[in-house]
Amino acid sequence: LYSLYAARNHTHAALVGSQDDENRRMIDGLLEEAYEHEKAQTSAIDASAAHGTRTQTVSEIYDRISKSRERPAIPEALCCQITFDIMREPVQTPAGHTYEREAIEHHIQKNGPWDPVTRKPLQRSQIVKNHALLSVIDEFLKQHPWAYGS
């Protein structure tokens, strides 16, 4: 499932990248038009200097946009081993595995009282909130608020 998640993000990035490429071509065309227009009205040296400045500014803007779109991968440790989504209410089993509370409770209800990873017996009363991981997730989400939408 992680590979599917990565493939989905790669596809999204490819779509955004192709849109960016088209936008870049349009802006390059506009910059070239501005250069030709300015060259007709001033000296070629002045027009070339102004064109260089505009091109540099556009490149800096594109760099800032690219950096703002970068999204690091969500660490696997923050994701439920059942849903593969970032956990909102992580709980831990006696075996040390952490799951989303709703997912493990649903698993127990539908499949029986056993841990889906270890296959050992597991009762709801044995599941405890994983406060340490919840703190880590909260901090990650403060820095990467887009992650809840993943």
Side-chain angles (χ1 to χ4, degrees):
L1 288 176
Y2 282 109
S3 62
L4 292 175
Y5 171 80
R8 182 182 70 190
N9 282 346
H10 178 72
T11 301
H12 175 73
L15 290 173
V16 168
S18 67
Q19 175 102 29
D20 283 352
D21 291 344
E22 178 151 340
N23 289 341
R24 186 62 188 242
R25 281 190 295 275
M26 286 175 36
I27 289 172
D28 286 346
L30 291 170
L31 286 170
E32 193 60 37
E33 281 181 41
Y35 169 69
E36 292 299 328
H37 178 72
E38 194 162 10
K39 193 166 73 171
Q41 301 203 352
T42 65
S43 72
I45 294 172
D46 290 342
S48 182
H51 178 70
T53 301
R54 280 192 295 271
T55 302
Q56 178 65 29
T57 301
V58 168
S59 291
E60 290 170 4
I61 290 168
Y62 266 99
D63 289 345
R64 285 197 305 260
I65 289 170
S66 293
K67 286 180 183 175
S68 72
R69 285 186 179 158
E70 288 177 2
R71 293 183 172 181
I74 298 173
E76 288 184 28
L78 308 184
C79 297
C80 175
Q81 295 178 10
I82 297 172
T83 66
F84 297 98
D85 288 329
I86 193 163
M87 292 179 275
R88 291 179 165 89
E89 190 179 356
V91 293
Q92 190 170 14
T93 65
H97 295 282
T98 301
Y99 305 98
E100 175 67 36
R101 178 180 296 281
E102 185 177 325
I104 190 66
E105 287 179 353
H106 180 77
H107 166 80
I108 290 171
Q109 179 183 7
K110 293 291 183 186
N111 302 304
W114 48 273
D115 187 304
V117 172
T118 65
R119 307 280 190 214
K120 293 183 179 179
L122 176 65
Q123 301 299 318
R124 278 192 174 127
S125 61
Q126 296 175 295
I127 298 170
V128 295
K129 193 168 191 170
N130 190 332
H131 294 283
L133 186 57
L134 181 59
S135 296
V136 172
I137 292 170
D138 286 344
E139 187 59 35
F140 180 83
L141 291 173
K142 284 179 189 171
Q143 295 175 13
H144 310 287
W146 54 265
Y148 259 149
S150 299

